[in-house]
Amino acid sequence: MSEDVTGIVVPIHLDYTYTPGVAASRFLRHIAEGNYVGQRCPKCKKVYVPPRGSCPTCGVPTDEEVELKQTGTITAFCIVNIPFAGQAVECPYVSATIQLDGADIGFYHLIQEIPYDQIHIGMRVEAVWKPREEWGTTTESIAHFKPTDA
Amino acid sequence: MTEPLVAPHVLEWGYTRSLGPTLTAFFTGLRDRKIVGAKTKTGRVIVPPTPHDPDTGEDVDSLVDVSDEGVVETWSFVSHPRPKQPLDRPFAWALIKLDGADTAMLHVVDGAIETGSRVKAKWRDETVGYITDIECFVPA
């Protein structure tokens, strides 16, 4: 008689077809060309990047596109010390909210090329792109952000 | 260039669940081609087994084998199975009360079905200790 069955694997597998929608699709197609392009609200003039197609405050479509500089400021960050399945970067590393110059909201990206314990809120950073042939309709076209003075 | 982008997106978690003593008996039983239930102190037999009597909360009295044949209590027919469902042809999910049990167990019935149908487990050639060791139930 073999040993008892004391555990079972219970896989959960969800197959989605994802669409980011019209506004984020435009944003990602600009990313594939090497540009960060946000959208400006016609009423409050806030610039959203990545854009969602409307202003959540004013409730109006944000039709005007705005090309942004690829420098910005860290507004919040997190030092990731816990490994998990599918992790792309070795621990510890820093995931940060970055507000690009000219934008009114931030987005998440990695901060590299600096020891993780020297990163701080307010640090000036710039985008580091992967080689041109690796660009696509994904924010992974940008390898990471690095301090502007690094 | 105005069509929204579309991409596949898969979310997957391969959880490993530890079974505890009662379900260890149930799954080990499946591997050995038998179905194990829990007998409460009042004499009811619960399948699949629970560690406690759901009526009183007391520990169950013992684990007992029940038949791999039983009666369909209720069912729901699947005319167009999805890719990961147990059978690739129309089948029924059914609550089956096995002979010797007082509760019904959810499984799959392949073939003609109605409430009250007698069905019997169709075991796989190779069993591993998983609910799919019973491929399905078929008319008895």
Side-chain angles (χ1 to χ4, degrees):
Chain A
M1 180 66 69
S2 9
E3 286 178 14
D4 283 352
V5 179
T6 57
I8 54 172
V9 177
V10 280
I12 292 177
H13 181 103
L14 303 169
D15 270 315
Y16 287 100
T17 300
Y18 176 76
T19 174
V22 174
S25 293
R26 291 187 66 86
F27 168 76
L28 291 169
R29 286 187 169 112
H30 285 301
I31 286 286
E33 298 300 317
N35 301 315
Y36 265 103
V37 177
Q39 291 179 352
R40 179 181 284 127
C41 173
K43 279 183 79 179
C44 70
K45 306 299 179 192
K46 276 191 177 144
V47 173
Y48 296 100
V49 57
R52 296 287 178 244
S54 63
C55 176
T57 307
C58 306
V60 295
T62 51
D63 295 324
E64 185 194 348
E65 295 198 322
V66 185
E67 184 170 340
L68 294 154
K69 285 191 208 159
Q70 300 193 3
T71 52
T73 305
I74 293 177
T75 56
F77 69 95
C78 169
I79 301 170
V80 181
N81 283 295
I82 299 172
F84 54 86
Q87 201 166 38
V89 191
E90 203 173 307
C91 289
Y93 66 91
V94 168
S95 179
T97 313
I98 298 155
Q99 192 166 321
L100 291 184
D101 296 334
D104 289 285
I105 59 164
F107 54 82
Y108 288 107
H109 219 296
L110 297 169
I111 308 296
Q112 303 261 280
E113 300 188 41
I114 179 172
Y116 68 90
D117 56 0
Q118 292 179 25
I119 292 168
H120 58 85
I121 290 174
M123 178 172 266
R124 299 282 301 153
V125 291
E126 64 183 292
V128 178
W129 290 71
K130 287 181 178 171
R132 178 69 181 87
E133 61 274 16
E134 293 177 35
W135 295 358
T137 49
T138 164
T139 53
E140 289 178 8
S141 305
I142 299 100
H144 54 262
F145 279 72
K146 68 168 186 180
T148 49
D149 55 354
Chain B
M1 283 291 282
T2 53
E3 283 297 302
L5 294 164
V6 173
H9 181 59
V10 175
L11 290 180
E12 189 166 26
W13 298 273
Y15 288 113
T16 301
R17 179 185 162 167
S18 67
L19 293 170
T22 308
L23 286 174
T24 287
F26 179 69
F27 282 90
T28 304
L30 289 174
R31 189 198 58 203
D32 300 337
R33 296 168 195 277
K34 57 185 190 180
I35 300 172
V36 173
K39 190 172 204 169
T40 68
K41 288 183 174 133
T42 56
R44 288 179 78 225
V45 175
I46 299 159
V47 180
T50 54
H52 310 289
D53 183 337
D55 293 332
T56 65
E58 282 190 286
D59 288 354
V60 296
D61 188 61
S62 56
L63 295 169
V64 293
D65 293 351
V66 298
S67 174
D68 68 354
E69 196 176 318
V71 177
V72 171
E73 290 214 317
T74 188
W75 49 279
S76 176
F77 203 74
V78 180
S79 303
H80 302 286
R82 308 273 298 165
K84 300 214 175 197
Q85 286 189 317
L87 296 177
D88 60 5
R89 53 192 177 276
F91 68 90
W93 294 111
L95 283 172
I96 301 159
K97 188 149 91 177
L98 297 169
D99 297 341
D102 293 291
T103 64
M105 180 174 91
L106 181 70
H107 216 287
V108 172
V109 172
D110 186 19
I113 189 169
E114 58 186 36
T115 301
S117 293
R118 295 278 309 166
V119 291
K120 182 175 174 48
K122 180 183 172 189
W123 295 90
R124 285 187 197 276
D125 293 337
E126 194 181 330
T127 58
V128 295
Y130 209 69
I131 193 64
T132 50
D133 287 347
I134 300 169
E135 186 181 343
C136 57
F137 282 76
V138 293

